[in-house]
Amino acid sequence: MTTDTATPVRPGTPVRPSEVARPGDRTADRLFATGIRNQWYAVCPSDFVPAGGMKRLTLLGEEWLLFRRADGTLHMLEDRCPHRGARLSLGKHLGDRIACWYHGVQVDGTGTVAAVPGLPGCNLEGKQLVAAPHLVETGGAILAYFGDSTHAEPVPLTLPEQLTDPGTTAFLCYAEWNVNWRYAVENLLDPMHGSFLHRDSHSMAEGQTTARFRIRETERGFFFEKTDQSGVNFDWVELCRTGVDWVDLTIPYPPTAGPGGPFGIVGMATPIDEDRCAVFFWRYRKVTGWQRDTWRFLYRTLLEDRHWEVLEQDRVMLEDLRSDADQAENLYQHDLGVVRVRRMYRTEAEAQATGS
Amino acid sequence: MTSPTHAQYLDPHQSRTAEPTPYEKKLAAEIEEVFGSGAHDLPGLVAGLNARDLPAPDGSPWTEETFRTEMRRLGA
């Protein structure tokens, strides 16, 4: 394990979270545990931050503060006053800025010190000293770009088309799981668990319990899919890397769910810290008109409960995994997707740790 | 391990603002039944609801228009 020397913070230079000295932050192990940088991540549901409101969050092992202006404009700051390091989230929302409770230092939405009331004209004023990630809102969620010190500008972001297509309607389900983020991603790259863990569910009771899988490359990632069954159970998943990492998959509905075919899931997992993650599942369906309205009514009234039960099966299984579960595995052919995604993130963690 | 400021967020109901009314629960269950019988088009759905003991909100048999309107209200 190597430890980077923290880059000194120069006044007047935008600070990235990684430049705040915390030993070990940039090691490959730390990145693997708390999230690959230089990409977008889902942060939380949009309604966690109402107009005029604040929300404190831990993301990628770091502390953050979201606040929204009265006009809806959203900002995110590292939860750290540039003066003495107090939590800005303990401060006061002043409309377009936050005043630190400790000494009143005011930081605006760009991370710039707007005022130092105790010493007007102080040289902190006008300097951007607090990390303020770029944000996007889509599908009822907030996404933020987490760059390291050499990748401060966001990478291009292509949002999942299911969240932007007017012919598709979706509900976001957000949850926090007490498990490392990578186990949540690996669970999605393991479609075969649907036939066992979720066999007693409203949508995954059908199909074979044996399968062969293959990996099929796409321009934005890869499919991991059964070669001998499709459209019966959780039979395939596509990992998509479009500036944000997400998966797409579909699962057949029983006839009681009406017209419109299967429901799909756009899934994202965001590290909270090394032991916890935030999961975002948009359940979507390609329906319009009365079919859309009826599905949404059924979803609110009956289906959401059933979807939740399925998700709880995943949570219980994953939260009870030993933290060293992946140190003593005996993988077989069904785990090609897991191996692939794990290697992908490990390789990126190594590259980001060495700055290559 | 989790502090009060980091209580685990696990909310089974995120798509609704209130518990469904008895009427909404009954209507949803009836719609599922009709769908389950294989009727997936609007005329079939309306006929199926009318064959069951649940009139439209105005007390009349369902029509395609009253069903559309009600779903627009409940599913928007």
Side-chain angles (χ1 to χ4, degrees):
Chain A
M1 189 184 293
T2 58
T3 304
D4 282 2
T5 305
T7 308
V9 176
R10 295 183 303 279
T13 308
V15 187
R16 305 310 306 178
S18 53
E19 291 181 276
V20 179
R22 277 182 294 244
D25 262 9
R26 291 291 310 279
T27 66
D29 286 343
R30 178 76 181 157
L31 291 165
F32 201 47
T34 62
I36 308 303
R37 267 51 174 189
N38 307 334
Q39 64 182 55
W40 295 78
Y41 283 95
V43 167
C44 70
S46 286
D47 61 12
F48 278 20
V49 196
M54 297 165 59
K55 176 74 180 175
R56 168 180 164 177
L57 288 175
T58 305
L59 297 163
L60 280 66
E62 296 159 354
E63 302 294 329
W64 301 94
L65 167 66
L66 286 152
F67 74 99
R68 199 186 290 275
R69 295 194 225 168
D71 68 1
T73 308
L74 184 68
H75 300 289
M76 181 165 156
L77 298 173
E78 186 174 20
D79 191 11
R80 184 185 176 90
C81 179
H83 170 218
R84 294 278 310 281
R87 283 191 182 280
L88 290 173
S89 58
L90 293 174
K92 290 187 177 61
H93 189 314
L94 297 184
D96 65 343
R97 64 189 67 180
I98 302 296
C100 180
W101 188 21
Y102 205 6
H103 301 93
V105 171
Q106 298 177 12
V107 180
D108 72 14
T110 69
T112 302
V113 176
V116 180
L119 185 62
C122 168
N123 68 2
L124 291 180
E125 290 180 352
K127 290 176 178 159
Q128 191 188 355
L129 296 174
V130 180
H134 289 75
L135 303 173
V136 164
E137 294 193 83
T138 188
I142 299 161
L143 274 62
Y145 174 74
F146 293 83
D148 66 21
S149 55
T150 55
H151 300 82
E153 281 305 304
V155 298
L157 172 65
T158 303
L159 295 169
E161 60 273 17
Q162 294 85 350
L163 305 185
T164 56
D165 167 30
T168 302
T169 184
F171 286 101
L172 170 62
C173 175
Y174 169 80
E176 293 164 1
W177 288 353
N178 292 325
V179 67
N180 183 269
W181 68 284
R182 199 166 40 75
Y183 287 106
V185 176
E186 291 178 359
N187 182 59
L188 290 163
L189 268 292
D190 166 26
M192 201 61 202
H193 83 265
S195 301
F196 296 91
L197 181 64
H198 304 311
R199 192 155 193 91
D200 182 20
S201 79
H202 68 121
S203 55
M204 281 183 264
E206 304 296 324
Q208 299 297 316
T209 52
T210 61
R212 300 290 296 180
F213 281 88
R214 72 178 166 209
I215 286 173
R216 180 161 56 88
E217 307 293 335
T218 67
E219 284 186 356
R220 59 186 185 179
F222 65 90
F223 276 91
F224 185 59
E225 59 193 358
K226 293 176 186 169
T227 60
D228 41 12
Q229 175 178 295
S230 185
V232 181
N233 197 298
F234 175 16
D235 295 323
W236 59 269
V237 59
E238 183 186 6
L239 178 79
C240 306
R241 314 202 73 197
T242 61
V244 60
D245 287 355
W246 53 286
V247 300
D248 182 31
L249 59 95
T250 64
I251 295 172
Y253 261 139
T256 50
F263 77 96
I265 295 176
V266 166
M268 298 182 190
T270 302
I272 294 176
D273 55 29
E274 60 192 17
D275 300 316
R276 296 177 294 167
C277 65
V279 291
F280 298 76
F281 295 106
W282 285 269
R283 285 84 174 246
Y284 71 86
R285 206 172 192 202
K286 292 182 180 177
V287 276
T288 57
W290 72 269
Q291 297 182 352
R292 169 191 183 276
D293 296 341
T294 306
W295 179 64
R296 291 179 66 86
F297 170 56
L298 290 181
Y299 184 94
R300 289 198 178 108
T301 314
L302 298 170
L303 297 174
E304 187 174 32
D305 266 333
R306 298 175 200 158
H307 286 304
W308 181 260
E309 282 178 25
V310 177
L311 204 59
E312 283 289 276
Q313 293 164 350
D314 290 300
R315 185 179 69 83
V316 167
M317 183 58 60
L318 294 176
E319 288 192 345
D320 238 8
L321 283 175
R322 294 163 55 126
S323 60
D324 66 347
D326 62 358
Q327 302 302 303
E329 298 169 318
N330 292 286
L331 304 178
Y332 52 90
Q333 200 261 349
H334 294 175
D335 306 309
L336 288 173
V338 171
V339 170
R340 170 71 176 265
V341 76
R342 188 183 294 169
R343 187 186 300 142
M344 183 182 89
Y345 286 128
R346 186 72 210 180
T347 302
E348 290 200 9
E350 303 275 358
Q352 290 186 3
T354 59
S356 59
Chain B
M1 186 196 76
T2 50
S3 62
T5 52
H6 291 107
Q8 186 174 17
Y9 186 92
L10 292 173
D11 179 1
H13 298 119
Q14 301 176 31
S15 69
R16 55 165 89 145
T17 52
E19 174 75 8
T21 64
Y23 158 72
E24 288 164 0
K25 287 181 186 171
K26 182 166 173 59
L27 177 58
E30 300 280 4
I31 291 171
E32 277 205 320
E33 263 193 42
V34 178
F35 280 152
S37 74
H40 277 189
D41 61 343
L42 191 51
L45 180 55
V46 167
L49 286 177
N50 285 331
R52 288 167 167 76
D53 184 26
L54 184 69
D58 63 0
S60 311
W62 290 94
T63 66
E64 292 186 19
E65 193 47 44
T66 55
F67 183 78
R68 280 180 193 274
T69 302
E70 186 66 340
M71 286 303 107
R72 203 171 298 135
R73 182 177 78 85
L74 296 169

